[in-house]
């Protein structure tokens, strides 16, 4: 790609994975990363001999659920699945890097993936990409029984929301405060 001339300013937008910017609908699946460079004071990037810097940001959220099991179980039970109740579709505004859950959609069960290594001090860990929104609960299935946590938390764009739960045979309780942290810096 070459500059048009030495004076015309340009605006840069990059999306991963590659997609048509006129398609603003998003359905939960692959990660969505967006980079913009509009120059100083959003006035455009002046042509130079240096490459244009594009720093990609996570625009989705990540939900991490850590589980501990009360001593009512002799050992860590086999968990069939862990699901969060949330919306799966959104509208993306690429220039502002904004993802908004569709208001007319009903929240449904979204499976979380088991992690090979549990978080420190927890028996099991699960996580998944999510649309930024307020999610309304988590269901843990052990055998043929469902255990539900019905609290809610905000899933913020570019952040990891961690929910630590204690699972007993008759109830699920929050083990500690819900935390929201940055996803962390990647490599350049």
């Amino acid at each position: 790609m070459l500059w048009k001339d030495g004076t015309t300013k340009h605006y840069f937008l990059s999306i991963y994975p590659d997609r048509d910017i006129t398609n603003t609908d998003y359905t939960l699946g692959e990660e969505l990363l967006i980079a913009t460079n509009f120059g100083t004071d959003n006035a455009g990037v002046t042509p130079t001999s240096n490459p244009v810097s594009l720093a990609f940001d996570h625009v989705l959220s990540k939900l991490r659920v850590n589980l501990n099991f009360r001593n009512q179980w002799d050992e860590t039970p086999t968990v069939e699945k862990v699901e969060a109740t949330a919306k799966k579709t959104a509208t993306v505004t690429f220039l502002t890097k904004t993802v908004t859950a569709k208001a007319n959609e009903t929240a449904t069960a979204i499976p979380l993936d088991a992690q090979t290594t549990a978080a420190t001090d927890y028996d099991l860990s699960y996580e998944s990409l999510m649309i930024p929104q307020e999610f309304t609960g988590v269901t843990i299935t052990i055998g043929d029984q469902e255990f539900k946590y019905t609290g809610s938390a905000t899933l913020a764009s570019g952040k990891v929301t961690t929910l630590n739960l204690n699972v007993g045979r008759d109830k699920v309780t929050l083990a500690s405060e819900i935390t929201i942290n940055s996803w962390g810096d990647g490599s350049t």
Side-chain angles (χ1 to χ4, degrees):
M1 187 182 304
L2 299 174
W3 296 102
K4 177 179 178 181
D5 54 48
T7 58
T8 303
K9 293 187 177 186
H10 296 276
Y11 301 86
F12 293 87
L13 166 67
S14 188
I15 304 162
Y16 178 84
D18 182 32
R19 63 184 287 142
D20 181 350
I21 63 169
T22 62
N23 179 6
T24 60
D25 290 333
Y26 176 81
T27 300
L28 192 60
E30 290 184 296
E31 171 65 287
L32 184 59
L33 303 170
I34 301 174
T36 58
N37 189 335
F38 303 143
T40 307
D41 298 325
N42 292 328
V45 177
T46 304
T48 69
S49 60
N50 297 322
V52 175
S53 175
L54 290 170
F56 285 85
D57 291 315
H58 293 280
V59 294
L60 297 178
S61 299
K62 187 182 283 190
L63 175 62
R64 181 175 296 135
V65 176
N66 297 319
L67 303 176
N68 264 340
F69 297 91
R70 298 196 182 277
N71 59 8
Q72 298 159 349
W73 275 282
D74 294 333
E75 57 187 36
T76 301
T78 301
V79 174
E80 306 299 326
K81 61 185 172 183
V82 175
E83 298 171 313
T85 305
K87 296 179 181 183
K88 293 182 180 181
T89 61
T91 301
V92 181
T93 306
F94 295 108
L95 294 179
T96 60
K97 302 179 185 179
T98 306
V99 179
T100 307
K102 292 199 174 179
N104 60 349
E105 181 188 357
T106 302
T108 59
I110 298 172
L112 278 66
D113 298 321
Q115 301 303 293
T116 55
T117 304
T120 305
D121 299 327
Y122 288 91
D123 297 323
L124 299 172
S125 293
Y126 294 80
E127 64 183 46
S128 181
L129 294 173
M130 303 287 282
I131 302 287
Q133 63 188 290
E134 188 82 13
F135 86 98
T136 58
V138 173
T139 301
I140 302 130
T141 304
I142 300 172
D144 61 354
Q145 189 172 0
E146 290 184 344
F147 299 86
K148 296 185 183 271
Y149 170 74
T150 55
S152 64
T154 299
L155 299 170
S157 179
K159 303 286 184 181
V160 178
T161 300
T162 303
L163 185 65
N164 298 318
L165 300 176
N166 288 325
V167 181
R169 288 195 184 270
D170 56 352
K171 67 179 177 177
V172 178
T173 58
L174 196 59
S176 62
E177 288 186 17
I178 296 171
T179 59
I180 300 174
N181 296 312
S182 293
W183 225 324
D185 295 330
S187 59
T188 302

